[in-house]
Amino acid sequence: MALVPFLEELLGDSPLARDFRSRFRIHVVPLMNPDGVDLGHWRHNTGGVDLNRDWVAFHQPETRAVRDEMARIMAPDGSELWFFADFHSTNRDVFYTLDRSLETRPAGVLDAWIEHIRTSLPDYVLEDAPSDGGHGVVSRDWAWREHQAPGMIYEVGDTTPRPLIRQVAETAARGTMEILLERARQEDGG
């Protein structure tokens, strides 16, 4: 419910989206656990393993596939991962971000991103739950350890009204584009 409107903004026809796509590539894994979900398990694959906790050992084929595909995509031209987003669901809306003391490339993205959502949606109670990504086992931590990428896990609340989920996702996508374009211009010297 959040991934689709987020992507619709990134892939839209707005001047912002077109500008963003002219500078950045977007890679999407729409559902990492199709066999587990088919059996009614959102977190566990058919082997009963919580894929959210396999981003260090990579024992499962699903997490290995994403890791290996990212390496394949980025290796030929030395691309950098500038933002990582993982969409989940739980009992309440929460953004599990990285601890701001961790150095990311580009720097300052998460603070700007959270501020963009808070400013754009002042009535939305945004829960930002930063944690140290250095030792964690979730995807966001892997993105930081391997690529120093700012990242977050967006947990959509089970009872969050669907129009609000869409509004938050669209706002987050616009913020992502604006902030990353700004950082790219800064790196280009203007």
Side-chain angles (χ1 to χ4, degrees):
M1 285 183 266
L3 176 62
V4 169
F6 188 89
L7 287 174
E8 287 172 348
E9 284 294 312
L10 296 180
L11 301 174
D13 196 37
S14 70
L16 175 62
R18 288 192 310 271
D19 189 20
F20 183 75
R21 291 191 310 272
S22 75
R23 300 284 310 250
F24 292 94
R25 288 186 299 180
I26 302 162
H27 298 279
V28 180
V29 178
L31 180 58
M32 217 173 96
N33 186 22
D35 56 348
V37 170
D38 190 51
L39 295 175
H41 307 291
W42 284 101
R43 292 182 76 122
H44 297 89
N45 65 5
T46 55
V49 176
D50 183 348
L51 297 175
N52 296 331
R53 304 295 182 262
D54 190 43
W55 288 89
V56 172
F58 294 97
H59 290 302
Q60 301 306 303
E62 297 91 344
T63 52
R64 279 195 310 269
V66 173
R67 177 200 62 194
D68 295 351
E69 183 64 9
M70 288 297 295
R72 186 193 67 74
I73 290 167
M74 296 172 71
D77 63 3
S79 294
E80 296 180 71
L81 181 62
W82 271 33
F83 189 75
F84 184 86
D86 192 350
F87 293 79
H88 290 243
S89 64
T90 191
N91 63 347
R92 69 189 193 289
D93 282 16
V94 59
F95 292 88
Y96 290 109
T97 58
L98 286 169
D99 186 291
R100 300 317 190 275
S101 68
L102 298 173
E103 291 184 33
T104 62
R105 175 156 165 64
V109 167
L110 291 173
D111 283 331
W113 189 76
I114 292 292
E115 183 59 27
H116 172 84
I117 297 170
R118 285 190 170 138
T119 301
S120 300
L121 301 172
D123 295 331
Y124 176 66
V125 178
L126 187 149
E127 183 180 346
D128 177 20
S131 64
D132 177 2
H135 300 97
V137 296
V138 296
S139 59
R140 171 214 56 217
D141 303 338
W142 166 81
W144 180 78
R145 278 192 315 274
E146 294 297 316
H147 304 282
Q148 287 66 55
M152 62 85 190
I153 297 172
Y154 175 20
E155 296 272 6
V156 177
D158 293 334
T159 60
T160 303
R162 289 173 193 241
L164 180 58
I165 293 171
R166 173 170 281 282
Q167 186 179 25
V168 171
E170 291 169 348
T171 300
R174 285 190 296 274
T176 301
M177 292 186 286
E178 291 171 9
I179 293 160
L180 294 182
L181 282 167
E182 175 187 319
R183 295 303 191 275
R185 287 183 193 105
Q186 289 171 351
E187 287 213 357
D188 291 345

